[in-house]
Amino acid sequence: MNPPAAGSRDRAGIVRRAQAALLGSAVGDALGATTEFMKPAQIRERFGVHREVVGGGWLNLPPGGVTDDTEMSLCVARAIVESGGWDLVGIADRFARWLEGNPVDVGATCRRGIGDYRAKRQMETPPNRWDAGNGAAMRMAPVALYTLGDEERLGRFAVEQARLTHNHPLSDAACFAVGKLIQRAILKDPSRGLRDAADDLAAAHPEFRFDGYDGGASAYVADTLRTVLDAFFSTNGFEECLVKTVNRGDDADTTGAIAGAIAGARYGLEAIPPRWIRALDPDLREELAALASQLVGRSPLFTPRRTA
């Protein structure tokens, strides 16, 4: 059953939290790219505490530069908005064009999956025990916005987009969980809490338990979400959450992007440090805000009769 349409009184706030999710993800990507593949001790030695969007890192990005986390999310968002609905072929086509453009960074599993789509029009990569990386979870924010108000549809589309490149139970579960966290944060629904979503994930897949988190922040999706969830639930604001996340190092652009999406949805636009937003390319800022509004406008929350 679809939820009732949200009242106009709530719409502006929901849209702004959706915009904060997309902008927060890009900010987290840009902040974390500087410390990607570094260890916490190396970060402390170089920065003390890394808390500014300064670029650099192993990719030698300009300040505010983003990586595949943001670029693949843009592919998903643009495909949905362009088609006016869920369009898995459109998403795959955009991934293919993006890869053809020699992006600054692309993970091996994403490269393989997109390559198979280009060569064979393969819409679902075969199950692979090595596909438990974070490359599908990092691009979940647009899916969460487009399915806002319908967690069943969220779960279906989360897995569909994930399996273009990643086909593993932990990747599937992580994608759905990230989407639920973003949606519940945007909707501020006390009956369907954020901690419940995290606990449900850990109950189904103990690999994601983050009590007693050991600091590992690799690209293994369980490490990624444990890093994000530990930071999110042990802090009380957007900046604090993101700083704690990216100072773990390792796959910091992706942990930063996922944490930024969830924390942005939870704390809103006003909580994202203006200096971090200003560091992003102005055209990127404008497009992310517009896409967020368009995705939410097409969601079940505001168009309850809409099909896929």
Side-chain angles (χ1 to χ4, degrees):
M1 179 181 297
N2 286 324
S8 59
R9 181 183 61 181
D10 305 314
R11 183 166 186 148
I14 288 170
V15 168
R16 286 182 64 79
R17 289 191 293 279
Q19 291 173 329
L22 288 194
L23 285 164
S25 182
V27 159
D29 179 9
L31 184 71
T34 305
T35 56
E36 186 179 12
F37 299 139
M38 297 178 72
K39 298 300 180 186
Q42 295 173 310
I43 297 169
R44 288 193 296 272
E45 181 178 352
R46 180 166 180 182
F47 298 104
V49 176
H50 173 55
R51 60 186 324 121
E52 303 301 333
V53 178
V54 295
W58 76 281
L59 292 169
N60 196 29
L61 294 175
V66 295
T67 75
D68 52 338
D69 300 79
T70 300
E71 291 171 350
M72 294 193 82
S73 294
L74 282 168
C75 289
V76 176
R78 289 165 177 164
I80 295 171
V81 169
E82 182 179 84
S83 68
W86 185 248
D87 182 3
L88 194 62
V89 172
I91 293 170
D93 283 342
R94 283 190 172 270
F95 286 168
R97 291 197 295 272
W98 169 74
L99 187 61
E100 290 166 2
N102 295 316
V104 65
D105 187 29
V106 56
T109 305
C110 287
R111 184 184 294 277
R112 186 196 69 224
I114 298 168
D116 285 344
Y117 172 74
R118 293 169 66 192
K120 301 179 286 189
R121 306 301 288 181
Q122 177 178 282
M123 297 302 299
E124 180 174 309
T125 193
N128 188 329
R129 67 191 183 100
W130 303 110
D131 281 5
N134 56 22
M138 71 187 190
R139 57 188 193 237
M140 269 302 301
V143 184
L145 301 190
Y146 174 64
T147 59
L148 190 64
D150 188 337
E151 287 192 357
E152 184 280 329
R153 191 178 300 181
L154 166 67
R156 178 158 51 95
F157 293 167
V159 170
E160 285 184 9
Q161 72 82 27
R163 291 188 180 176
L164 287 170
T165 55
H166 294 65
N167 191 342
H168 191 284
L170 294 184
S171 172
D172 292 349
C175 288
F176 189 25
V178 169
K180 285 195 289 186
L181 286 159
I182 293 169
Q183 287 196 355
R184 293 181 186 189
I186 289 172
L187 296 175
K188 296 185 174 181
D189 184 352
S191 68
R192 309 186 76 168
L194 298 174
R195 186 60 193 239
D196 289 343
D199 289 344
D200 288 347
L201 175 65
H205 299 280
E207 295 91 339
F208 292 100
R209 289 177 181 161
F210 58 95
D211 293 333
Y213 169 66
D214 60 7
S218 76
Y220 171 46
V221 74
D223 279 354
T224 297
L225 282 208
R226 292 174 70 229
T227 300
V228 169
L229 295 173
D230 173 75
F232 180 75
F233 288 110
S234 65
T235 56
N236 294 297
F238 183 92
E239 182 170 0
E240 185 184 5
C241 174
L242 268 289
V243 168
K244 184 169 185 176
T245 299
V246 302
N247 278 272
R248 300 288 192 184
D250 286 335
D251 205 22
D253 59 330
T254 298
T255 58
I258 296 173
I262 297 168
R266 165 65 179 83
Y267 296 109
L269 276 174
E270 295 76 11
I272 303 176
R275 69 187 191 279
W276 289 359
I277 293 180
R278 287 194 302 267
L280 297 177
D281 179 89
D283 291 339
L284 176 62
R285 296 197 306 259
E286 183 177 343
E287 183 178 15
L288 289 171
L291 286 169
S293 179
Q294 291 168 309
L295 289 166
V296 168
R298 290 168 166 79
S299 73
L301 192 69
F302 294 113
T303 56
R305 295 182 182 87
R306 188 177 186 86
T307 60

